[in-house]
Amino acid sequence: MSLSLNEEQMMLQDSARGFLQTKAPVSAFRELRDHPDKDGFNRQLWADMAAQGWAGITIPEQFGGVDFGYTGLGLILEEMGRTLTVSPMVSTVLMGATALNLGGSPAQKTALLPKIATGELIIPLALEETRHHNPEQTSLRATPVDKGYCLNGRKVFVLDAHVADTFIVLARTSEKNANCTGLSLFLVDSDTQGVTVERAHMLDSRNAGAVVFNDVTVSSESVVGEIDEGQELLQSVLDVAQIGLSAELLGISQQVFEMTLSYLKERKQFGVHIGSFQALQHRMAQMFCQIELCKSIVRRALNDLDAGHDNVSIVASAAKAKLCETVRRLTNEAIQLHGGIGMTDEFDLGFYIKRARVAQQTCGDYNYHLDRFARLNGY
Amino acid sequence: MSLSLNEEQMMLQDSARGFLQTKAPVSAFRELRDHPDKDGFNRQLWADMAAQGWAGITIPEQFGGVDFGYTGLGLILEEMGRTLTVSPMVSTVLMGATALNLGGSPAQKTALLPKIATGELIIPLALEETRHHNPEQTSLRATPVDKGYCLNGRKVFVLDAHVADTFIVLARTSEKNANCTGLSLFLVDSDTQGVTVERAHMLDSRNAGAVVFNDVTVSSESVVGEIDEGQELLQSVLDVAQIGLSAELLGISQQVFEMTLSYLKERKQFGVHIGSFQALQHRMAQMFCQIELCKSIVRRALNDLDAGHDNVSIVASAAKAKLCETVRRLTNEAIQLHGGIGMTDEFDLGFYIKRARVAQQTCGDYNYHLDRFARLNGY
Amino acid sequence: MLELDEFRRETRHWLEQNCPAEMRLPIREEDDDCWGGMYPTFKNEAQELWLDRMSERGWTTPAWPRSIGGGGLSKEQSEILHQELVRIKARPALLSFGIWMLGPVLLKYGSEAQKARFLPDIVRGKVRWCQGYSEPGSGSDLASLQTRAEDRGDHYLVNGSKIWTSYGDKADWVFCLVRTDNAAPKHEGISFLLFDMKSPGVTTKPITLISGKSPFSQLFFDDVRVPKENLVGEINRGWEIAKYLLTHEREMIGDMGTQSVSLSELAKEHIGLRNDMLVDPILRTDISRFTIDEMAFSDTLKRAADEAKAGQEMGAVSSMFKYFGTELNMSRFELMLSVTGNYSLGWEGEEFDEGNLPRAWLRSKGNAIEGGTSEIQLNIIAKRVLGLPSE
Amino acid sequence: MLELDEFRRETRHWLEQNCPAEMRLPIREEDDDCWGGMYPTFKNEAQELWLDRMSERGWTTPAWPRSIGGGGLSKEQSEILHQELVRIKARPALLSFGIWMLGPVLLKYGSEAQKARFLPDIVRGKVRWCQGYSEPGSGSDLASLQTRAEDRGDHYLVNGSKIWTSYGDKADWVFCLVRTDNAAPKHEGISFLLFDMKSPGVTTKPITLISGKSPFSQLFFDDVRVPKENLVGEINRGWEIAKYLLTHEREMIGDMGTQSVSLSELAKEHIGLRNDMLVDPILRTDISRFTIDEMAFSDTLKRAADEAKAGQEMGAVSSMFKYFGTELNMSRFELMLSVTGNYSLGWEGEEFDEGNLPRAWLRSKGNAIEGGTSEIQLNIIAKRVLGLPSE
């Protein structure tokens, strides 16, 4: 499989870039941040994005999607990183739809995937419980009751929590032992009795929140995948999530780099353009190389997903770690090279740093993935 | 206690520098390397150094030393790092004498310390058994026999092995348990029956070798410190060793930095001095800061030794780690900034890199000490 | 020595009698700080009392001469006073750019009349000063400043704008670098002026940072009339004063590197141990590396002080401290974020302590810019200390 | 497609018939490499036979035209030949700077007479070439070269010295940059000459590196007479050829970053695991970081190739690859030393494999210098790709 884009993919990239820069530029994000409403995202914009086929980009045609593959999804996320577009794309398309695609029963797929594809259904994963990503330590309990399960516990950092229609909830259904991981995934509608959502205000001004499950009863049909065997499905979903987030971080990295490059070419000090200082040139050249490496590893990871390779966990952690490392260096350097103006809220640079930080942390940060990479490689 | 040098210490520093640059400059080292003899160091020079009081610098006056303290020893080692002077200073004064000073019986001190102070006795530690510093895993066995012990095993990377008069050998005397570490230190003369020395040719052209102990019998009076309780004494000796090696690495760092700085001021390319390139200036300025930090931590560690502080293990590992990190960066940068000439054997730079590498590795490398630092701090 | 012991005893006694109990509690909120000024807002009586008592003795400025209200203490006595204040955990009686920045300038460059007029009010916190240095567009090239002061016979007419002025909206007076000769080389046409922020034509606009609200303002000067007697030092020789102040500022900012929350303790609490090692091995390594650098840096501060005492100068100390101190501070915040994980992503709400940590992290990014960028410090070290050429 | 399949079948068959078994064993020692030359030393018959058979078909230079003895293969066919050679683990029949460097230059810039005279001998390994580029004192500023070639009517008289010439002491001929116009701007007075190393006035001196013996020599030219027909391209236009060759060289050196001993396997063996993790947690992290970079770099090589095929140029590929490939190679050796610990300190003796590892580590330090320093590559990226100004 080639690591260059084919014609169809290049067309998608162009059209995504055109769409976002017209309909959802950074100024739209600023507007949203400065005038927060109850939704925290633009429903009309999301409907337009769905109409472009983006909400169903990875969903098979039989379930109403366009089945364009992960590379397509990655290209859209990359462009959204450039414009900081707020939408349920990460929570619902990258994660929710992937969980159903990979683990849903035929009935679940038939019921839910078409609604995702039209943009009607917001369906995030409710995963985290503590300050550090660690799904294996899940303690939210689902205990068997008559014809179903009863959930008790609290999830934090749930993306799009307060606008979600349905949650895919990670729960402990038995103790971990040699034969099973003891984890399971459940579909829980947000209006089910006992579900309470607490909206949180995050660094990147996006939607997230805590969800409390208090004696929440769901039917046996709500289980996604096998009971007690949720870990493997979850890891596959998370691998896709890592790679998608890496694509978004790639978009952020490129945008931040280009902003800095332009600034270095415009800004004069001591009578010359600051971009003529060799110390700054070398730093920019090194960052350029890093971005090229990032492009390649993200492209390759998306390729591997599309090809259904089985080593994808290793590549997913490699990509996330590499992108976290690069975007951190890049955003720090970008502020430093911009000087005072980069520190002001009037200038857009701060938005990228904030969004990058949240995306870095989502589903495991640099340290988590570097450690996981070693673990998966057996050392 | 002040971190600046007092007048006595400054005088020692000046006189050490003068002595070494006259009697043992780098050219002497080159001569020794190019015309290796059976000793591998200059006995006359060593006698002269002893006559300066250096061999007894930390030895109490009652045992024939000058009792100048660890700061004095550090200053000499630093200057020796600048000139790459080969002598038994590290093996015998920094390590052997320290072991006897801290753990020797009155009889052992009376018998051996005066001979060290005069330069007559070469007495290295025989410590390592594998490729990585790990005294706790010692497997050379000393088993009790009539009125003494019988040693069997092999030590590697023993400094000055083939010219040693006596070894201080780390041996396992019982299994490690809650009450004891099971390690002990023994004095073993090199001409004892069953001792075989294999000289090795090292990267830094200094003396080291393997020592095989084959049914070597020693008396009970040969135990240094308490039987089975050697670990604590050993750690104190190693703390001193780390700090002394850090001082030597500091001398190397400064010399390498100064050589590079001179080169940048002399060498012209593209019609200008290469030292005028801003990218190189910033790298030099950063390294300058690192060297200042190194000076401080070495000075402080020596101070703490002289003051008898009890947190000295933490400082010792901190100093060794910091110096290893800095000297590695510095030597790599020095070659890069010198260009091709730095790669040639004709130029002295390579000697410093090689010696630095060995000193970094001796008694635990960067990784070992960074890990130990965390361990000692309880995390 | 006996005299100093006596001084310590007396000082300790006086502080115990005069420092109100409330002024020995840790500083919790912004308004726990006392900045004085013409229209001061004291949080409570104790704050006002503490300022009055300390400034009456001149101990807000212990080393300044008695003649202008200072404490007139020797270096050793000042050090003892400092130690005794630390001992009882006393809050500073007064924070003031007048004390930190303008005072040293006036003592060195001011006329007798200026000293008599301005210094006593600084000592007593009666006038709050701000600094007019950077301009939009000047950045690291401070000497390229464009704010003009035209000679109009009995006064200067000032036009232009200053940026990054801390508490510009709360200050009574400003000390300010202005261009008084457009034809001269850029370093030779700069002068140092003082003027009242209530002068007609002065306006301020607050600056919001990526971390949220900030103490910074932009100042605008539109035909501001400044009496000629308010010129400090010689006309067109203000750059010398500016350099003097910059060195001073660098040292203050560089000091930030030595804060003392233990990262390893924080990590143990948030991340936990397994087999006595932090569960996150990468963080464990990063914390060790950072802590060693922090040790080496604080040893260097101490060594510099000890060597200065012994007459052995290190050279470019302030640039090195500014550069490395801010690097350390920024690393510390990066590590704090790693340690606290998702918690550090909260921006508002009690649950997240109103985003204090990520805000401080974002704010720290400015450290290597303000007070002379890291690049400027490295240039200074390369040129002044290492003597590298600038062809 | 059918044609290519047929070619593959035939090639495979021919190789199986013609590649001697000894030539399929891994290369162990220096003299397992075959460099040909006028006075060749073959280690064994198989080596000579293999060279003869391959060069007869022109397969030492598969893509060169048949007219001068090359293989005349298409790009696809060359690729297939390469794959089939890899499949049977065949050793290269011939190593040659003639093939890698001079050949492409002559094919592009040489006269018909020069092609006919020199290329067939290169294909067959009959003449061994070396390169005369760098000079003592020229360093990164290659165009500042001082070796002069004076026009003496029917010949040039060459005086000067070249350094860092690989196998200069073993070569039959040299291709060489010389200054033919002292008055012109430095890039415009350079020419490209070929001459016989046996010409009177040519001497060589081996260079010892910090890693020990090296293939490098310094060449000295003392009144060497070179016939005018040995000028390649136009007089004073040699810099264009030099740049062409440098790009070529960068790509070759950059490739080194993708070697494939697994560091983690080596570390497991030398350091061991505890709870399934490497006992040294810092090394574990460093290896992960390195391995990810290595993955990303090899993905980038592949992407560059794929994009080039698809007509999407990346820009300054060769500088990026040279820079990053050598960084990776140097990091790899640093890690190898950490993994092997004290073992890596041995310099001689069987026990230490004669110091192969530390010697290779030291040798790797030169990677970021030779073939254009890392600084030069970063300059190129900054200027040519990023378009940053050079005021």
Side-chain angles (χ1 to χ4, degrees), chain A residues 223-292:
Chain A
V223 179
V224 184
E226 298 291 309
I227 196 82
D228 285 350
E229 298 294 349
Q231 174 77 352
E232 202 177 324
L233 169 59
L234 179 70
Q235 281 311 319
S236 300
V237 176
L238 288 175
D239 285 337
V240 174
Q242 306 312 340
I243 295 171
L245 288 163
S246 300
E248 188 189 347
L249 286 170
L250 177 61
I252 292 175
S253 299
Q254 292 178 86
Q255 187 67 25
V256 164
F257 183 76
E258 288 164 21
M259 285 168 76
T260 308
L261 188 60
S262 302
Y263 187 76
L264 290 178
K265 289 180 185 176
E266 283 158 19
R267 170 79 163 163
K268 281 193 155 193
Q269 286 203 321
F270 304 103
V272 297
H273 288 105
I274 60 175
S276 68
F277 292 122
Q278 196 198 28
L280 309 192
Q281 290 185 343
H282 282 194
R283 281 151 68 179
M284 288 300 283
Q286 285 166 334
M287 287 190 279
F288 168 80
C289 293
Q290 290 296 330
I291 289 180
E292 290 299 320

Side-chain angles (χ1 to χ4, degrees), chain D residues 97 101 129-134 162-166 173-176 219 245 249:
Chain D
F97 294 107
M101 312 203 77
W129 287 85
C130 68
Q131 159 180 279
Y133 262 48
S134 295
K162 294 288 176 182
I163 200 167
W164 306 121
T165 299
S166 292
W173 276 65
V174 60
F175 51 96
C176 196
L219 313 183
L245 260 183
E249 191 182 3

Side-chain angles (χ1 to χ4, degrees), chain D residues 25 136 144 303 306 352:
Chain D
L25 302 172
S144 70
R303 181 166 66 88
D306 290 344
F352 299 115

